[in-house]
Amino acid sequence: MIFTILKSVTDFQRITRDSFHALEMLADFLPLKDSEYCQLIKQITESVEFMMDTIADAIKINATLDAEMLSKADTVIDKNYETIICSLENEFKQGTLTFKQVLALGHLARYLERVGDHICNIGERWYYTIRGKKISIK
């Protein structure tokens, strides 16, 4: 249990850092608030929120978390991240977005994607702590 908590603290620190970096990117993202990217970012943030709630609930009652649900939420994050990156490349080539907008949105999506990965790390450790069985949440 102590090992899980100590290792998870590092992931929580990284979640905090990446979240702050994502917030810094929002100012440059705001001109794109009416674009399809806004919906993709919203889906990513909803998945991150769901994952954090799932982890918090499991820790609160000292129970096993639903690894399959975490995996599904992480898949949504990863797919939306890939969609954003591919679209950004095309839009930059076509000149519909500025370099600053591409960079901001790419970083915003990447930081949020990393948050999801850190949550998965915490979930894997928590599952091991409760069940004594290693799993991989991807």
Side-chain angles (χ1 to χ4, degrees):
M1 179 67 81
I2 292 171
F3 172 76
T4 297
I5 292 169
L6 290 175
K7 289 292 286 176
S8 295
V9 165
T10 302
D11 278 306
F12 280 119
Q13 288 173 332
R14 290 178 179 162
I15 288 168
T16 303
R17 181 200 60 213
D18 289 343
S19 297
F20 278 120
H21 288 313
L23 285 172
E24 291 173 343
M25 298 295 114
L26 280 179
D28 293 325
F29 174 69
L30 286 178
L32 302 172
K33 69 181 185 307
D34 296 324
S35 71
E36 68 182 65
Y37 296 113
C38 193
Q39 186 61 33
L40 293 170
I41 292 295
K42 183 179 179 200
Q43 289 173 359
I44 290 173
T45 56
E46 287 170 351
S47 293
V48 165
E49 181 181 10
F50 169 79
M51 292 171 76
M52 285 296 287
D53 288 344
T54 300
I55 293 284
D57 291 345
I59 292 171
K60 200 180 317 178
I61 61 172
N62 203 26
T64 302
L65 53 85
D66 189 339
E68 186 177 329
M69 294 299 286
L70 276 184
S71 181
K72 287 179 182 179
D74 190 52
T75 299
V76 169
I77 293 171
D78 292 342
K79 285 181 181 179
N80 285 355
Y81 172 72
E82 287 299 319
T83 299
I84 289 170
I85 295 304
C86 290
S87 295
L88 285 175
E89 183 179 357
N90 292 332
E91 288 204 41
F92 185 67
K93 287 178 183 176
Q94 296 169 3
T96 53
L97 293 177
T98 66
F99 179 72
K100 190 173 184 179
Q101 290 172 323
V102 169
L103 201 57
L105 186 52
H107 278 106
L108 174 61
R110 179 64 178 153
Y111 288 132
L112 293 173
E113 190 272 336
R114 290 297 304 141
V115 167
D117 290 344
H118 292 303
I119 296 169
C120 287
N121 292 342
I122 295 166
E124 289 169 359
R125 280 189 219 100
W126 184 253
Y127 192 92
Y128 181 77
T129 299
I130 298 299
R131 290 286 177 110
K133 180 180 174 187
K134 286 185 109 178
I135 59 167
S136 179
I137 302 173
K138 299 291 176 210

